Amino acid sequence: MAMIDSQWITWELCPRCGDRAAVGWREVGRFVGPVEFDCRNGCRVNICEVVRTCPSERAARIEHRHVDDARDASEVACDAVRRGAVAITIAAGFGGAARVTIVWRPEHS
């Protein structure tokens, strides 16, 4: 299954078989919510089951950082990975500026 509606993908446990499954997430305000699901074993799970299994509170505070250039964006992203970010995106802006979006699990302070 192609994950076309997602902004981020994480690996979670499938509620049916317990194996790894890709869960696609999309930004909703300050948080993210699951929108797609793809189990490696082909389990069919509807999005309601995914929401119960992977609630947005579990994966989900979003931080946006605006930086001056790609080098700064890379440093911010590397630091976030070291600190346990779930997912990171970097969007280029005008004049070399960039926007770094970091998704944190709630246990991150």
Side-chain angles (χ1 to χ4, degrees):
M1 172 179 168
M3 300 289 240
I4 57 173
D5 293 329
S6 305
Q7 292 175 300
W8 300 280
I9 308 291
T10 61
W11 287 99
E12 308 290 343
L13 295 179
C14 174
R16 296 267 168 93
C17 69
D19 202 356
R20 289 174 38 139
V23 176
W25 302 84
R26 185 169 249 338
E27 186 173 348
V28 182
R30 291 183 25 225
F31 299 96
V32 296
V35 292
E36 296 180 288
F37 180 86
D38 187 20
C39 177
R40 294 177 358 157
N41 294 322
C43 295
R44 298 281 183 210
V45 177
N46 68 41
I47 202 64
C48 293
E49 290 177 273
V50 175
V51 169
R52 284 194 300 273
T53 305
C54 307
S56 59
E57 306 86 56
R58 217 182 108 227
R61 186 176 58 82
I62 295 177
E63 177 184 351
H64 297 289
R65 304 267 309 267
H66 295 276
V67 296
D68 294 330
D69 57 38
R71 186 173 148 276
D72 289 345
S74 179
E75 288 177 7
V76 167
C78 288
D79 180 59
V81 167
R82 284 190 293 274
R83 293 177 26 217
V86 174
I88 300 165
T89 59
I90 300 174
F94 294 107
R99 177 180 172 181
V100 181
T101 302
I102 305 165
V103 179
W104 299 103
R105 291 202 185 272
E107 61 267 12
H108 174 79
S109 55

